[in-house]
Amino acid sequence: MASHFPVNHHLRPLYRLLCAVAGLYMLVFGVVGFIQTSGSDFFTRDEAEWVLGLRTNAAFSLLSIIAGVVVLGGNIVGRNLAHQVNQLAGVVLTVVGMASLALLQTEANVFAFSMVNVIVTFILAGITGTASLYDRVGPVAAAHEERRADARATA
C-alpha cells in the first residue's frame, strides 16, 4: 500500500530549512533562557524571565534546548530522519500547546507558560507538522511511480 506522503517533493529543501530555523529558534531561546534563569529555582513561576518574547524558567529552557537540538539535528542530517523528527515534533508540540493552554492559570503551570508561549508553541507545531507532510525521501523510481499513479487517479 502506498503512503500518502509525497516522495521527493520539489519543496522539500524549503521545508527542511523552515524546520531547521524553528529548531534553531528553540535552541537559542533555550540557551539564552537557561543563562538568564540560572540563579532562580528550576520550576519557578514567580521569578520567570522573559526571553526572546517568551516567558521561561530553567526547566522550560532546558526542554527547549533538547527540543531545539533534536529538531535542528534531524533537519541537518536530513533524509527520512528529518521526516520522522518533524512528525514527532509536530505532534509533541501540539500536545504541549494544548496541555499548556489547559494549565495556564493553575498551579500546575510548572513551566511558567504565558499565552504568548502557547501561541508560539502552536506556530512551531504547525511549521514542523506541515513540513513532515512533504519532506519524505525515496528512490527516484518510487517518486516517478507515485506521480504516474496520481496522474492515473486524476484522469
Side-chain angles (χ1 to χ4, degrees):
M1 175 153 182
S3 173
H4 293 288
F5 296 111
V7 177
N8 300 341
H9 192 272
H10 65 283
L11 293 177
R12 182 173 32 100
L14 174 65
Y15 289 119
R16 276 188 49 215
L17 176 66
L18 288 173
C19 285
V21 168
L24 183 63
Y25 174 77
M26 287 185 261
L27 179 61
V28 169
F29 165 77
V31 169
V32 173
F34 198 76
I35 290 168
Q36 283 193 359
T37 61
S38 62
S40 61
D41 292 333
F42 205 63
F43 287 103
T44 187
R45 290 179 46 214
D46 300 328
E47 299 174 25
E49 298 282 338
W50 286 91
V51 176
L52 298 178
L54 302 178
R55 195 163 173 238
T56 189
N57 57 22
F60 181 52
S61 295
L62 185 61
L63 284 177
S64 296
I65 291 170
I66 293 167
V69 166
V70 169
V71 172
L72 182 61
N75 283 284
I76 288 173
V77 170
R79 305 239 181 253
N80 284 326
L81 177 65
H83 172 70
Q84 297 295 328
V85 165
N86 293 337
Q87 254 185 339
L88 180 64
V91 170
V92 168
L93 288 168
T94 300
V95 169
V96 167
M98 293 297 286
S100 299
L101 187 59
L103 302 173
L104 202 58
Q105 298 295 324
T106 68
E107 293 294 319
N109 185 6
V110 294
F111 295 121
F113 262 50
S114 68
M115 192 61 203
V116 176
N117 291 63
V118 173
I119 292 168
V120 170
T121 301
F122 282 134
I123 290 170
L124 293 171
I127 291 170
T128 56
T130 302
S132 75
L133 299 174
Y134 299 100
D135 62 355
R136 204 173 109 216
V137 180
V140 176
H144 288 301
E145 180 57 38
E146 179 181 294
R147 287 188 188 95
R148 275 182 280 197
D150 286 346
R152 283 184 291 217
T154 58

